[in-house]
Amino acid sequence: MSIANPLFQGFLLTAVALTALPAKAAAQVAGGAQTLDYAFVILLVFTLALAARSLMLRQQLAEKTRALAHSQTALARARLTSERALAEHAMMLHSDMVGIARVADGKLLWANSAFEAMFGYRPGEWVGVPTSVHYPCEASYQALTNAADPVMAAGKVFRSLTEFKRCDGASIWVELSGAMLDASTSESMWIFLDTTERQHAQAVRQEAAQRLQKLSNRLPGVLYQYLLRPDGSACLPYASEAIRQVLRVNPEDVNEDATAVLSRNHPDDAAQFLASIQASARDLTPWQHEYRMLFDDGSVRWLYGNSVPERLDDDSVLWHGLVTDITERKAADDRLRQLSRSVEQAPVSIVTTDLQGNILYANPSFTRNTGYTLEEATGQNPRILKSGLTPPETYAELWGTVSTGGVWQGELHNRRKDGTLFIERAVIAPVLDAEGHISHYVAVKEDITQRKQADLALQNSLREKVALLNEVHHRVKNNLQVITSLLRLEVGRSAQPDTRSVLKDMQSRIYAMALLHESLYRSGTFASVELGAYLKQLATQTFRTQSGLGGDVRLLLEMSAVNVGMDQAAPCGLLVNELLSNCLKHGFPEQRSGQVVVSLQPSGRTGWWQLSVRDTGVGLPGDFEARRTQSLGLQLASDLARQIGGQLNVGPGPGATFSVVFHLQVFPLPD
């Protein structure tokens, strides 16, 4: 109701009152002018009331018309929204991408076409089919049912990634969502989204990632990414597990900050390492660098880095590459360089040939010795050096030895490029490959021309000296024999027993020296003499000369062979002569019998020998020590013992024993 309603009610009440006037009053009014005016006013008022009423009705009608129009518009919008929602729901229900099915008591009640296509059904063929037939096995079906029922009973949506079986037996992977519609009838709604392709793609990605991980773990080094930020800081966003062994850090220790690795750069290599990184970042050129790392235990390892950089949107630079430990390779390279320098600088010729003997390599010494450069010698056979002076049998022996895997050594008479002759001492050996087959030959040859000439001159000189020494020893022996003969004549002329004894002693001593010179002269060796043989001959001759002084005395010799120099042989001979003479003179008086033993044997100490003379005679007198200092023979024996580096020892009886232990200057026996 509008605000005009009270006015309208007033006009209505006035009109009713006027119509209720008595007819008399109306006549009176009609009878007079005032009465007419009054009637006109009333009529006017009534007319206005009608107009107001009409206006009010029109306003109400307009308002209702507008309200109706609004209602129609809202109804149209609601209808459009409902139709759109119905269309969307219909589209969802009949979508080719999402399968939808209603299930009750474990059987299919309804399914859309996408479900049919997903599981391989023809339209309507799925009605009443148990859902369990689409699981790989009964256990799988029970496991999903046990997991879904509590969730759906609580009014929640159950979600799972599940493997199903199509009607043709093919396996598919589905993102499954289920909700309970009516718990009393166990009716539920299920949505199926086929993710088989996604699962296959994910499996492919996982397989590729696993393959990459396995490959990175099998690589002989660290597969890594190195990030250099604009502020100069660095990190390794990715590093394979090998970083634990190669760089001795954990991958997570360098994900945000590479200081744990960079701080281990060898101080001598750190500046060059950083410069190489900066140059690669500036020019975006591959980074290839060898450097050392110094670890906490003091060990130093050589590393080789090889990576390719790329610039990122934030102006960072990211390298993708590999770091390997090349310590062993560096050591092998160093050994190879040392070997190469050794071969290049060797003072002997080193030549490598193929199986046919063609020269593949020759060092500079070969050029110096032969006059042929490496270029001239390469491809040539060593026969270019033949002089014709090496016997053919030597070459036959050479090739027969090396071709069967042996090492040949010998001398070759060759000719230089300029025609001069020279002699080489050669060692030629086969080189075997990894399978043990001969692949090359290597020869190491030394120019021994000057040595051969020096040896020849030395041999000539030696022959001359040998001849001279032979003559000297021969003359000395002859002179000593002359002196011995003169002493024998003097013994025969002398009537004094003491004089005769002294002369015989002198004769025996001179004979000992003469016998030594004769032994040297006959052996042809002047540096040493075989001491056992020399003493045996000397003792035998001395015993024969003086055995007539006693009774039936026998001589026993226990001699071991050893070569000594003249400085020890001469004193030993004189010492045996003195001791043996002393035994024969004093040990067997009054035609007493017995034996004398002369022995030369090794002692208990290495390099020490014992020379002894012992007898089974009457033994030493009681005042031996007092008389010892007055005996010329014993004094001479003591002096001779000291000359050979020993001391004369007198042993206890019975009999008499004299021995000397001394260190022998041993010479090898001649062949």
Side-chain angles (χ1 to χ4, degrees), residues 559-572:
M559 300 294 180
S560 296
V562 62
N563 273 36
V564 300
M566 286 188 61
D567 292 341
Q568 286 186 321
C572 285

Side-chain angles (χ1 to χ4, degrees), residues 4-81:
N5 288 343
L7 178 61
F8 175 73
Q9 293 175 357
F11 282 124
L12 184 58
L13 293 174
T14 304
V16 172
L18 290 175
T19 54
L21 290 175
K24 182 178 179 180
Q28 288 177 356
V29 173
Q34 293 180 345
T35 303
L36 291 173
D37 292 336
Y38 182 72
F40 179 74
V41 172
I42 292 172
L43 181 59
L44 180 59
V45 171
F46 183 74
T47 301
L48 291 173
L50 290 175
R53 176 62 177 172
S54 176
L55 179 61
M56 181 186 65
L57 291 175
R58 284 197 299 272
Q59 289 177 348
Q60 291 178 349
L61 180 61
E63 288 177 0
K64 291 183 179 182
T65 301
R66 284 194 298 273
L68 181 60
H70 288 316
S71 298
Q72 290 178 343
T73 301
L75 183 61
R77 289 177 180 174
R79 180 181 177 182
L80 181 61
T81 301

Side-chain angles (χ1 to χ4, degrees), residues 616-654:
T616 59
V618 298
L620 300 175
D623 58 348
F624 171 78
E625 290 298 331
R627 296 171 57 182
R628 178 177 181 179
T629 58
Q630 299 175 359
S631 172
L632 177 62
L634 291 177
Q635 291 180 3
L636 181 59
S638 297
D639 293 340
L640 292 171
R642 285 192 291 271
Q643 286 185 24
I644 62 176
Q647 183 178 0
L648 182 63
N649 298 313
V650 180

Side-chain angles (χ1 to χ4, degrees), residues 268-428:
D268 295 342
D269 299 345
Q272 188 177 7
F273 175 87
L274 293 177
S276 66
I277 289 289
Q278 293 169 357
S280 176
R282 182 182 62 251
D283 304 328
L284 293 182
T285 54
W287 181 70
Q288 298 173 340
H289 191 64
E290 292 183 359
Y291 59 101
R292 290 170 293 176
M293 294 200 79
L294 177 61
F295 295 101
D296 296 338
D297 60 0
S299 61
V300 177
R301 306 293 295 180
W302 276 96
L303 303 179
Y304 173 71
N306 188 357
S307 59
V308 178
E310 66 168 321
R311 193 173 302 279
L312 305 183
D313 294 338
D314 62 351
D315 206 32
S316 298
V317 179
L318 181 65
W319 283 267
H320 312 269
L322 180 71
V323 167
T324 55
D325 189 325
I326 60 170
T327 305
E328 283 71 23
R329 193 197 76 187
K330 290 287 289 186
D333 290 346
D334 289 341
R335 290 193 296 268
L336 186 60
R337 280 192 293 270
Q338 293 174 3
L339 177 61
S340 177
R341 287 194 294 267
S342 299
V343 170
E344 293 293 324
Q345 300 173 18
V348 295
S349 299
I350 300 177
V351 180
T352 303
T353 71
D354 59 18
L355 296 180
Q356 288 71 41
N358 299 317
I359 296 175
L360 302 176
Y361 169 79
N363 68 342
S365 183
F366 174 85
T367 300
R368 291 192 298 270
N369 291 341
T370 66
Y372 290 97
T373 64
L374 177 59
E375 292 75 15
E376 293 172 333
T378 301
Q380 298 290 332
N381 194 282
R383 67 173 62 96
I384 61 174
L385 302 175
K386 273 189 175 183
S387 64
L389 300 178
T390 302
E393 296 79 8
T394 301
Y395 292 112
E397 179 190 359
L398 186 160
W399 284 107
T401 301
V402 299
S403 62
T404 56
V407 177
W408 182 85
Q409 300 183 43
E411 294 182 0
L412 300 173
H413 293 256
N414 290 331
R415 188 184 304 275
R416 295 185 178 91
K417 182 180 178 181
D418 61 5
T420 58
L421 299 175
F422 68 105
I423 304 173
E424 287 184 314
R425 175 69 181 175
V427 179
I428 303 175

